[in-house]
Amino acid sequence: MSDEPNTNGKAAEPAQAPRLSIVLQYIKDISFENPKAPAGLQSNVRPEIQIKVDTRATQVSNDGHYEVVIDLEVEAKASEETIFLLELDYAGVFQIANIPPDSLQPLLMIECPRLLFPFARRIVADMTRDGGFPPLMIDPIDFVTLYRQRLASAASQAKAGGTDTALT
């Protein structure tokens, strides 16, 4: 139907399809601390594990390239002593085209991290295993909820102090 003339007498141009592609992905920063080794490795105490997750996105070029980073911090404690501490910033560069401006932020903060997460999860499992512990398999992360929490936090900060509400 795109061959039908429009009101100007010219053929209507087909709309460009939205496009999201991963250009590259990489470890931006990584750290594993095992302060109780070797004694901490021999303990039969099951540590309490806390995981903090954050995401960020920045435009790296004017041709639709964006860097998206998942920040993971994992701390295992037993009796208030740190057994291990893992920090990972896992990133990807995405090329994005033909995305409406109001859909860009959710795409960068939800879909892009969702594509990166399985790779970050594997790195965390390998690091904990290589550190002498059972592999830590992080449960899937709900990036939609994380995004909504960031929106709510930014809105409350803007309301309280008139600060910038940008998420990147």
Side-chain angles (χ1 to χ4, degrees):
M1 300 251 171
S2 63
D3 293 335
E4 293 179 17
N6 64 15
T7 56
N8 296 345
K10 297 180 182 178
E13 303 226 359
Q16 295 289 331
R19 190 175 73 236
L20 167 68
S21 57
I22 301 175
V23 177
L24 59 115
Q25 53 194 73
Y26 49 93
I27 295 171
K28 192 168 180 97
D29 190 20
I30 193 167
S31 172
F32 186 85
E33 298 174 27
N34 197 350
K36 294 293 181 186
L41 299 173
Q42 299 168 356
S43 172
N44 290 334
V45 176
R46 184 179 174 124
E48 179 183 318
I49 297 176
Q50 286 197 306
I51 302 171
K52 296 178 185 171
V53 181
D54 199 8
T55 57
R56 63 183 189 273
T58 54
Q59 188 169 2
V60 293
S61 71
N62 290 333
D63 61 348
H65 285 83
Y66 294 84
E67 179 187 57
V68 176
V69 181
I70 300 174
D71 298 318
L72 292 170
E73 184 178 314
V74 180
E75 185 173 20
K77 285 188 168 190
S79 302
E80 297 301 317
E81 293 186 328
T82 299
I83 304 298
F84 71 81
L85 178 63
L86 179 153
E87 296 172 336
L88 172 65
D89 291 353
Y90 193 73
V93 174
F94 294 82
Q95 184 173 22
I96 297 172
N98 306 318
I99 302 294
D102 61 334
S103 299
L104 182 61
Q105 200 68 30
L107 180 72
L108 290 170
M109 302 305 285
I110 298 169
E111 292 306 319
C112 293
R114 193 180 318 210
L115 293 171
L116 293 174
F117 178 73
F119 301 96
R121 181 178 191 241
R122 183 193 50 81
I123 292 167
V124 168
D126 289 349
M127 285 177 61
T128 54
R129 186 197 64 233
D130 292 346
F133 300 95
L136 176 61
M137 301 303 290
I138 298 174
D139 289 337
I141 296 170
D142 183 355
F143 290 104
V144 172
T145 299
L146 185 62
Y147 176 70
R148 287 180 180 156
Q149 288 171 347
R150 290 189 68 182
L151 284 177
S153 175
S156 67
Q157 286 178 356
K159 193 174 190 180
T163 59
D164 185 19
T165 58
L167 294 175
T168 58

